[in-house]
Amino acid sequence: MKEIAHINELKSLMQSNEKVWLLLYKKGSEQSDCAFENFSKAERTIESEVFCLADVNEVRDIHPEFNITSVPSLLFLENGILKNVIKGCHKTEQFNAIFDKSVFIAAAPNEIKPRKNVTVYTTPTCSWCTTVKRHLQENGIQFREVNVAANLKAAEEMVRKSGQQGVPQTEINGQIIVGFDKTRINSLLGIN
């Protein structure tokens, strides 16, 4: 099992290996420690697959790259593409079943949907921000949350992109939506 120190190390592994499993965890968190322990015990007998770990306390550039907002998260990368994210702590047997099942997962070419890059600009006291995040979560949309009240550079970037100071603002593949415009969000994300 390999400890990853930064995104470039992971990208190098992804280029030289067809399948890469990466457990993102936060040492000291009960759920993450559970996932780390059980992932470490899981049988990894598939030689063509690489198994890695990254502690988000120390490695800060991987989870934003894949829009991972909570840990523990197990990422399955195939041919350099994120294929699946499994969240939470699982028993060792469950991790083994997840690894075994990956051998049999196949998608038809027309079933593969391009992944959307979604960022939600928020503040802690904004109720509409919570509504946007809940809507995205309920529809299985991964997103990166940026608290503009705590990050002045992000706030300036948000205003530069949209010309607006109000939140929430949702950026979907470069298009900005100010407020909670459910119809437009659903349209851009392909939510029925």
Side-chain angles (χ1 to χ4, degrees), residues 30-78:
E30 184 179 331
Q31 283 288 309
S32 283
D33 289 345
C34 167
F36 173 83
E37 183 178 331
N38 292 335
F39 180 75
S40 299
K41 290 179 189 174
E43 295 177 27
R44 292 167 302 277
T45 57
I46 307 162
E47 290 182 23
S48 64
E49 299 184 17
V50 176
F51 298 86
C52 313
L53 299 162
D55 181 355
V56 297
N57 288 318
E58 298 171 17
V59 184
R60 311 288 301 161
D61 58 354
I62 294 176
H63 60 282
E65 181 82 13
F66 296 104
N67 291 324
I68 302 299
T69 58
S70 65
V71 292
S73 290
L74 178 62
L75 283 60
F76 176 55
L77 304 135
E78 187 173 23

Side-chain angles (χ1 to χ4, degrees), residues 116-123 126 128-137 141-146 148 158-159 161-162 164-189 191:
K116 305 282 186 180
N117 187 5
V118 181
T119 303
V120 181
Y121 296 95
T122 66
T123 60
C126 166
W128 284 110
C129 298
T130 303
T131 303
V132 168
K133 293 186 294 183
R134 187 179 311 119
H135 178 67
L136 294 173
Q137 290 165 345
I141 304 296
Q142 292 185 5
F143 62 92
R144 180 173 69 105
E145 180 180 2
V146 178
V148 294
M158 176 190 77
V159 172
K161 288 179 179 181
S162 69
Q164 303 285 322
Q165 291 183 341
V167 290
Q169 290 190 30
T170 307
E171 182 176 5
I172 302 170
N173 285 354
Q175 294 191 43
I176 302 288
I177 300 165
V178 180
F180 179 51
D181 184 342
K182 187 176 180 178
T183 305
R184 187 151 178 245
I185 290 171
N186 289 354
S187 172
L188 289 173
L189 292 173
I191 298 171

